[in-house]
Amino acid sequence: MTTPGMDARLLDAIFGRRTTNGPFKPDPVPKEVQHLLLQAAGAAPSHFNSQPWRFVLIENRGTIEQVAEISGQSMTTLIEQGLFFNRYKKYFRFTEAEMDARRDGIHLDHLPAPLRPFTQHVFSDAAQGLMRKLGVPRKLGEDNRKLVAGSPLLLAVLLDKEEYRPGELSGFYSVFGMGAAMENIWLTVGPLGLGIQFISTPMELPEQWAKLKSLLQVPPELELMAVYRLGFVPETGNRPSIDWSSRHRKRLSQYVYRETCTQPEQE
Ligand SMILES: Cc1cc2nc3c(=O)[nH]c(=O)nc-3n(C[C@H](O)[C@H](O)[C@H](O)COP(=O)(O)O)c2cc1C
């Protein structure tokens, strides 16, 4: 799909953008590339050009391993205590038909082998008890730890609290701008052969998030918003046990209206 006068590479980058779930190559990300990504982030729009985003580039092996440990432990806790499934079950789809009707969420078509017999019942208490017995929380935690530990570069994004005041418009604007900045990075990584993924499990558990803040020495005037892992994507890779990336998208008529909210756009 190209539009006259528009650089097709931009559309390729937009439609080719992906979440990278699998391992990265161990090769470091050159400093010039890191700077290019952050200049792309810095080119994003922000309210009154306030540029409220701040970033931390993390390449130190010791720090990456500590983040990995925190992330893996968080994953184990979230699965073991059923927190993850209880919080997020509404986003999981179990059949092609369900996926085709809604075209959002994550299709669970590729569960870890021990869970496959329970696909439809994976959120029940019985299935969760069995998962604990089979050691699934530890296995998923360890997989997560390894993915993070094997990443050559982590990136933390923070907001300046002078602008990020939750509950006020400035807080909303700051998050909006940060999203645009992160999208610029996300669009830039693909054409450079790099991938990016959220490290979100620690964010789900306040005590683990506090550990990350202290590890990164986040000062009181900044809010730690998110942490990502980045690296070069291998040419071939196995699909991970829970695939957080999805190609499914809603049809235009499911998210666009014409003139007022009463008229869905016709395809
Ligand atoms: C706010 C936000 C939070 C997300 N959290 C995670 C996450 O915790 N782990 C992950 O692997 N992907 C995460 N993602 C990526 C989504 O799962 C992904 O964008 C979606 O499934 C579509 O796949 P795609 O990015 O490959 O197009 C997040 C994306 C956004 C914007």
Side-chain angles (χ1 to χ4, degrees):
M1 189 197 317
T2 48
T3 306
M6 190 170 215
D7 186 343
R9 286 173 305 175
L10 173 63
L11 292 176
D12 287 346
I14 291 173
F15 289 108
R17 186 208 51 77
R18 294 286 170 262
T19 289
T20 303
N21 284 309
F24 295 127
K25 291 186 191 172
D27 313 45
V29 178
K31 206 170 189 177
E32 314 80 78
V33 173
Q34 298 178 17
H35 287 181
L36 177 65
L37 295 178
L38 293 168
Q39 280 157 353
S46 60
H47 60 294
F48 298 99
N49 197 24
S50 55
Q51 304 169 56
W53 43 72
R54 303 289 180 269
F55 296 95
V56 189
L57 290 158
I58 305 150
E59 287 185 288
N60 179 283
R61 282 301 338 145
T63 314
I64 293 179
E65 271 159 33
Q66 285 184 70
V67 175
E69 194 63 42
I70 293 170
S71 180
Q73 273 175 15
S74 307
M75 175 65 100
T76 301
T77 307
L78 287 166
I79 304 288
E80 210 157 49
Q81 301 184 355
L83 295 169
F84 179 81
F85 294 119
N86 288 337
R87 276 178 202 167
Y88 299 117
K89 56 184 164 198
K90 75 170 190 159
Y91 298 109
F92 292 95
R93 315 278 169 255
F94 296 102
T95 61
E96 284 287 346
E98 198 184 354
M99 195 68 203
D100 194 52
R102 298 191 51 127
R103 306 198 59 81
D104 63 5
I106 305 281
H107 188 190
L108 279 186
D109 59 345
H110 187 66
L111 277 177
L115 293 186
R116 261 171 234 153
F118 315 108
T119 302
Q120 296 276 359
H121 314 284
V122 75
F123 300 122
S124 71
D125 288 347
Q128 289 190 36
L130 190 63
M131 275 195 253
R132 280 192 288 273
K133 262 200 213 137
L134 292 169
V136 172
R138 273 192 195 291
K139 157 94 175 69
L140 292 179
E142 181 54 14
D143 288 353
N144 182 272
R145 188 194 66 74
K146 277 199 215 138
L147 270 186
V148 177
S151 306
L153 176 68
L154 305 186
L155 179 70
V157 53
L158 308 96
L159 282 175
D160 178 354
K161 283 193 193 166
E162 185 130 339
E163 297 304 327
Y164 176 64
R165 300 189 302 271
E168 292 182 33
L169 265 180
S170 173
F172 165 72
Y173 292 152
S174 301
V175 174
F176 206 99
M178 179 186 72
M182 286 313 305
E183 178 70 356
N184 279 1
I185 293 183
W186 217 327
L187 292 176
T188 309
V189 291
L192 296 172
L194 291 156
I196 183 167
Q197 187 185 25
F198 256 88
I199 301 176
S200 60
T201 53
M203 207 184 246
E204 304 277 341
L205 300 166
E207 67 284 5
Q208 300 284 16
W209 197 239
K211 282 194 212 166
L212 269 189
K213 283 195 208 173
S214 119
L215 184 64
L216 302 180
Q217 299 182 38
V218 177
E221 63 275 16
L222 295 180
E223 187 73 41
L224 179 63
M225 301 301 289
V227 182
Y228 294 83
R229 59 183 200 96
L230 292 92
F232 287 99
V233 181
E235 287 70 30
T236 53
N238 290 333
R239 214 171 146 209
S241 38
I242 300 183
D243 189 352
W244 303 111
S245 170
S246 176
R247 298 291 79 77
H248 296 93
R249 289 297 189 268
K250 289 178 187 292
R251 298 180 183 87
L252 275 186
S253 58
Q254 292 176 302
Y255 68 98
V256 180
Y257 302 93
R258 176 73 59 182
E259 307 301 346
T260 71
C261 294
T262 62
Q263 256 204 77
E265 177 69 344
Q266 300 297 308
E267 307 275 333

